[in-house]
Amino acid sequence: MLRRVCLAAVVLVGCGRPHVAAPPVAAALPAPEPESSQQPDVVPERGPGICSESGWCWHHPLPQGNTLTSLAGTSATQVWAVGNDTLLRFDGERWERIADAPADVWLKQLAPRAAGGFWALGQRWHAQGDQGLLYAWDGRQWHDTGLVTASSDAMWVAGDRDIWLLSEAGRLSRWDGEALRDGPAPPTAEGNALAGTDERDVWLGADDGLFHWDGRRWTRVRREDTTGLLVRAPGDVWAADLAAVHHLEGGAWRSWPLAHDLLRRLYDGGDGSVWLVDSQQVLRFSAGEWRTIAANDSRLRALWSAPDGTAWGVGDKGILSRWDGERWTQSIDRRWLHPLHAIWGIADDDVWAAGREGLVAHFDGRAWTRVALPEAATIRAVWGSSANDVWAVGDGIFHWDGRAWSKADVHLWDTMDAVWGTGPRDVWAHGTDGVLHFDGCWWSAELAVGSFRRARGGATTAEGEPVLPALPGLLRKRGGAWEIAADSPQGRIVELHGTPRTGLWALQAARSGQALLRLDAGDIWTPLPLPAAAKEVVRFHVQAPDALWIVDSDGGVYRWDGATWRDEAQDLTRFHPAAMWVSPGGDIWLATFNDNAGLLRKPAARRTARAAAAAPPAPPAPTCGPDPTAVALAAELVHVDAGDLASSGSVSPADARETARVWLEALRNTQVLTLARVSALPLAVQGFRPCGDAPGVGRDVEEFRDLLDCVLADSVKHYVPREAQGEWTPRARGLSGTLKVIRPSGLARRMARYRPTIDALARAGHVLVQARTTDNNGMTIHFAVAVRATRSGPRVVAVFVDQLFEE
């Protein structure tokens, strides 16, 4: 069975010997109460929360977002919680951060200390193997015991000079305040929890059972996989396994079966009650019965209860849960728990953050407020030209007009990863398969070139030319045509930012390491030395040539002032930054993900707002004609020149868009492959092979070979073998199949959903070719290719692909 770590055991000190086990008495736990009664109340978000010594303050979640792993306390007004580099104290009214917690240490478990305070079992990541550490907190300061040993899963404090440690390797040892010596060899190497009352009454929960040490030998008491253990007094033992919870009292075991096979932990309620926590729910045993308190949808990791019965629970993302004897409350709205990917603002008091499942929030200078999107889409980037003109892109393109978010009427072939622009009539977005442009009226497909490697950002040069990162370099539009920039830096560009005011900056990843590059006069990329202390740089933000920030993979933040780097986050460690933005006044914002997910802000010690360049007058509202993409698609369907169609007025804007909508809906679940020279995706890029004008395409199947080879050559997703009603050597290994001219009525059953569109293409005089291939796994892939003749040569209009079903 897999190893399990971080299973806490609540320990009380006493004396005596356990009773002999008796057969269990079955009694089923009650079914959970109605869902409405399980939903915890939520404490309203207010900010900022707990701040670090170097000035970083939590804005979400509150009061902080570090994962917490253990609790201890002496009363309802003296409670401590620990986690990664974190010690918090609750004084009865609020939580506060205690400074000088052991650096770079994951504090895993707390236990009361007879001399006052508590013992803390820690772990430090080390190249030669994780280390186990032991600290003491006396109520005022930390004391390092100097103990360095193997990383431990569990600790039991028999006394201040007798602490038992269970290592991850299953070894049991005892620390006497000065030295570590071996304890009684445990009967298993898969221990999960350790507890007892004295050195002759020790209990061990393990994967292969529950064991008891009587001072002379170990005895297996139960054979079930034991993950939770609570020893309250001699002969008063609680144990939880994957299927039930058991209680030893009066020499007999009583059992309550549980519905699911889950890891479970047990905690003393302080007032005679018992708490049980698993990944699905939180239960409390009181007055002889179990009661469901809440659904554990916040991944509760530990719980502690005061003598008066009030309790605190802690878990991932810093969530604090509290039981006041009647009600369970949480410190965070669970809808905020989705990871954040983007943060951006127009001013110090006008900031947007966004992430998965439609999570979009706004900061007005005082607090963050969630703002609804039209749908639960993942957002990966945000940019705007003003407070009333903000774009968010990801699994869709969305616009904020100052009142509400709306979804742009644009068809995406893939997720958008970046958005930027120069104003409300010049906005760019790109993803893995193409580039879109907004002209103030319509979004149109600007570029479709195979697959971009995922990269962040985009920039606009002083000449107003868009530039974006791709392979094998930077793509730049010059003179109306896209090309791979001749001055592209060597290596892979993973992030690009810049405006005419800041200049162009790029983060490069090469075999020799990372480099931060700026584009100087003469189109020369000059590296900016990175700070020696920085690890892998994951994001950067540029405000001016002498005001630039970077953040590394470990949460280190550094600022470049034009001459030197300054460390902005001396005590911000083991965070996983997803995005960074710096306000005009100098506030640094970080959006983080994983266990320490949330929003952090370091307010500027002194406002550094720079004199902004005079903004050009707002352009007049554009007069919007028909959507050019819709007109082009409509022209393809009716076989009419797009220019004539738009100018003649024979197709109204509404009709053109409806025609395009039908077309795009038919293609919604297909993959279009490298449609160079197609009106809707019209541009061939220098350095990428165009295929739309392949010579010699007619109605003879053999004449399609060169065209299909070209269309599919750069695709990393699909391949068509070269076999046309006979011998056609497969270009991709492991594929075989046929290619033939078809009529729409003869379309393969698996592609029948495309028949309306293909019927329309056939009526317009297109030649239809169908390919059927089979790979090594027996998966059949169907293609349908539509080609029509034009004055300039044959043109591929569409490639339909269906590989979702087996024959």
Side-chain angles (χ1 to χ4, degrees):
M1 188 168 289
L2 297 175
R3 291 287 293 157
R4 300 180 180 90
V5 297
C6 307
L7 291 170
V10 174
V11 181
L12 295 180
V13 178
C15 60
R17 302 283 297 276
H19 294 280
V20 178
V25 178
L29 281 175
E33 297 175 11
E35 183 67 22
S36 59
S37 67
Q38 293 189 39
Q39 299 307 308
D41 294 334
V42 177
V43 178
E45 287 277 327
R46 302 186 185 278
I50 291 173
C51 301
S52 71
E53 291 183 53
S54 62
W56 287 93
C57 300
W58 284 95
H59 275 250
H60 180 77
L62 298 180
Q64 62 92 55
N66 289 311
T67 292
L68 300 172
T69 53
S70 188
L71 287 152
T74 56
S75 69
T77 59
Q78 288 293 320
V79 185
W80 289 269
V82 293
N84 291 348
D85 304 320
T86 303
L87 172 62
L88 304 179
R89 180 175 63 196
F90 181 70
D91 62 7
E93 295 183 0
R94 65 186 183 91
W95 287 91
E96 62 178 346
R97 177 179 178 269
I98 304 299
D100 302 323
D104 198 30
V105 174
W106 170 24
L107 298 173
K108 300 169 63 174
Q109 186 180 340
L110 298 180
R113 184 168 173 258
F118 52 80
W119 295 99
L121 175 64
Q123 178 175 320
R124 176 180 289 135
W125 289 266
H126 195 273
Q128 278 72 45
D130 294 348
Q131 298 174 336
L133 309 167
L134 185 64
Y135 296 89
W137 170 257
D138 64 8
R140 298 185 306 274
Q141 60 183 345
W142 286 100
H143 300 277
D144 187 349
T145 66
L147 176 65
V148 179
T149 185
S151 180
S152 297
D153 277 347
M155 169 180 68
W156 169 57
V157 177
D160 283 353
R161 303 188 68 85
D162 187 12
I163 298 177
W164 295 50
L165 300 172
L166 178 64
S167 75
E168 292 180 353
R171 179 181 176 183
L172 199 60
S173 55
R174 299 173 70 176
W175 186 74
D176 62 8
E178 296 180 0
L180 190 71
R181 53 191 174 86
D182 290 338
T188 176
E190 303 292 336
N192 298 320
L194 185 68
T197 61
D198 65 21
E199 64 180 354
R200 295 181 301 166
D201 182 25
V202 184
W203 294 82
L204 173 65
D207 284 0
D208 51 351
L210 176 65
F211 299 87
H212 178 250
W213 172 259
D214 62 4
R216 294 176 298 173
R217 62 179 178 271
W218 288 99
T219 303
R220 190 198 303 266
V221 177
R222 305 193 67 87
R223 294 188 174 275
E224 298 87 358
D225 184 347
T226 303
T227 61
L229 179 62
L230 170 64
V231 180
R232 301 199 298 185
D236 185 2
V237 180
W238 291 80
D241 56 47
L242 299 181
V245 59
H246 315 277
H247 182 210
L248 173 64
E249 185 179 30
W253 287 94
R254 182 184 181 189
S255 301
W256 293 265
L258 295 165
H260 304 285
D261 290 345
L262 300 172
L263 299 179
R264 298 182 167 92
R265 292 152 290 170
L266 292 164
Y267 302 94
D268 188 3
D271 60 352
S273 61
V274 175
W275 291 84
L276 183 146
V277 178
D278 60 34
S279 60
Q280 292 191 352
Q281 58 187 343
V282 179
L283 301 170
R284 182 171 183 260
F285 182 79
S286 180
E289 63 178 4
W290 288 95
R291 176 185 173 191
T292 301
I293 300 300
N296 188 15
D297 46 14
S298 58
R299 291 187 62 188
L300 196 69
R301 286 176 177 249
L303 186 145
W304 177 83
S305 184
D308 64 0
T310 60
W312 283 96
V314 295
D316 291 354
K317 300 177 177 63
I319 298 173
L320 294 164
S321 303
R322 189 179 189 186
W323 171 255
D324 64 5
E326 296 181 358
R327 190 182 307 180
W328 184 261
T329 59
Q330 286 184 349
S331 61
I332 183 175
D333 185 337
R334 291 188 301 275
R335 295 176 301 171
W336 274 90
L337 295 180
H338 307 306
L340 294 164
H341 296 307
I343 187 166
W344 175 90
I346 197 70
D348 296 357
D349 58 356
D350 190 355
V351 186
W352 291 93
R356 292 186 189 172
E357 299 189 32
L359 174 55
V360 175
H362 181 257
F363 180 67
D364 62 4
R366 297 181 303 274
W368 284 90
T369 304
R370 186 181 171 106
V371 185
L373 278 184
E375 60 186 54
T378 291
I379 300 299
R380 297 189 177 276
V382 181
W383 177 87
S385 66
S386 69
N388 300 327
D389 178 39
V390 181
W391 293 93
V393 304
D395 296 339
I397 297 180
F398 303 88
H399 183 252
W400 172 261
D401 61 5
R403 298 181 302 274
W405 286 96
S406 59
K407 187 175 183 180
D409 187 11
V410 57
H411 185 80
L412 302 182
W413 298 113
D414 205 344
T415 296
M416 293 287 106
D417 298 312
V419 60
W420 80 98
T422 61
R425 298 178 65 176
D426 181 33
V427 184
W428 296 87
H430 77 76
T432 56
D433 288 341
V435 182
L436 301 177
H437 180 250
F438 182 71
D439 61 4
C441 289
W442 308 105
W443 282 95
S444 58
E446 178 74 17
L447 181 65
V449 285
S451 292
F452 292 109
R453 185 182 293 268
R454 285 202 181 274
R456 299 179 294 273
T460 303
T461 66
E463 297 77 24
E465 300 168 341
V467 184
L468 63 146
L471 284 178
L474 298 177
L475 284 174
R476 174 181 289 180
K477 188 176 184 181
R478 280 180 169 171
W482 285 92
E483 63 181 14
I484 299 174
D487 56 355
S488 294
Q490 298 297 314
R492 181 167 64 94
I493 301 301
V494 296
E495 188 166 4
L496 178 74
H497 295 297
T499 66
R501 185 171 66 86
T502 65
L504 264 62
W505 296 78
L507 178 61
Q508 177 194 54
R511 290 183 178 179
S512 58
Q514 288 187 302
L516 194 61
L517 310 173
R518 65 170 181 262
L519 186 62
D520 293 333
D523 288 343
I524 297 175
W525 288 94
T526 303
L528 178 67
L530 294 171
K535 298 183 180 179
E536 180 186 4
V537 177
V538 294
R539 295 289 188 273
F540 77 91
H541 175 90
V542 57
Q543 201 174 64
D546 60 349
L548 182 143
W549 290 259
I550 62 172
V551 58
D552 68 19
S553 57
D554 207 25
V557 180
Y558 304 87
R559 177 185 176 181
W560 173 256
D561 62 8
T564 60
W565 288 99
R566 174 184 174 184
D567 189 345
E568 294 279 0
Q570 296 89 345
D571 56 357
L572 196 65
T573 60
R574 276 202 300 278
F575 286 85
H576 300 275
M580 175 174 60
W581 179 75
V582 183
S583 77
D587 296 343
I588 310 173
W589 286 93
L590 281 181
T592 66
F593 64 97
N594 288 353
D595 287 344
N596 299 332
L599 288 168
L600 285 153
R601 176 194 188 192
K602 184 176 184 180
R606 181 181 304 169
R607 291 288 139 185
T608 58
R610 299 168 178 269
T623 301
C624 298
D627 180 351
T629 300
V631 170
L633 287 171
E636 291 289 347
L637 284 179
V638 300
H639 204 177
V640 176
D641 182 81
D644 295 341
L645 187 66
S647 60
S648 67
S650 59
V651 176
S652 68
D655 290 341
R657 290 193 62 75
E658 177 60 19
T659 303
R661 186 193 66 77
V662 173
W663 171 278
L664 294 174
E665 185 64 30
L667 300 181
R668 184 175 298 278
N669 295 317
T670 71
Q671 171 66 48
V672 176
L673 306 177
T674 319
L675 302 185
R677 310 295 180 116
V678 175
S679 298
L681 305 172
L683 296 176
V685 181
Q686 182 179 339
F688 291 83
R689 186 190 310 182
C691 304
D693 56 356
V697 176
R699 292 182 180 273
D700 187 343
V701 173
E702 296 292 327
E703 297 177 8
F704 283 92
R705 292 178 180 177
D706 293 337
L707 175 64
L708 286 176
D709 283 346
C710 181
V711 168
L712 301 167
D714 294 328
S715 169
V716 297
K717 300 178 181 177
H718 306 291
Y719 299 87
V720 171
R722 189 162 185 169
E723 179 181 335
Q725 299 180 157
E727 299 299 323
W728 199 358
T729 304
R731 169 164 289 211
R733 290 178 296 175
L735 292 177
S736 61
T738 60
L739 180 71
K740 62 182 179 180
V741 176
I742 62 170
R743 297 176 181 274
S745 59
L747 200 65
R749 176 172 58 89
R750 296 301 188 189
M751 303 191 74
R753 68 175 185 270
Y754 306 134
R755 182 164 289 119
T757 300
I758 291 180
D759 279 339
L761 293 171
R763 288 195 298 270
H766 294 73
V767 177
L768 302 174
V769 178
Q770 178 172 309
R772 179 184 177 208
T773 72
T774 304
D775 65 13
N776 287 333
N777 297 320
M779 181 70 73
T780 299
I781 307 173
H782 294 283
F783 296 85
V785 182
V787 182
R788 71 176 176 85
T790 69
R791 294 178 181 177
S792 59
R795 174 179 295 178
V796 176
V797 175
V799 179
F800 304 86
V801 179
D802 191 323
Q803 62 167 6
L804 302 179
F805 304 93
E806 291 180 296
E807 288 291 308

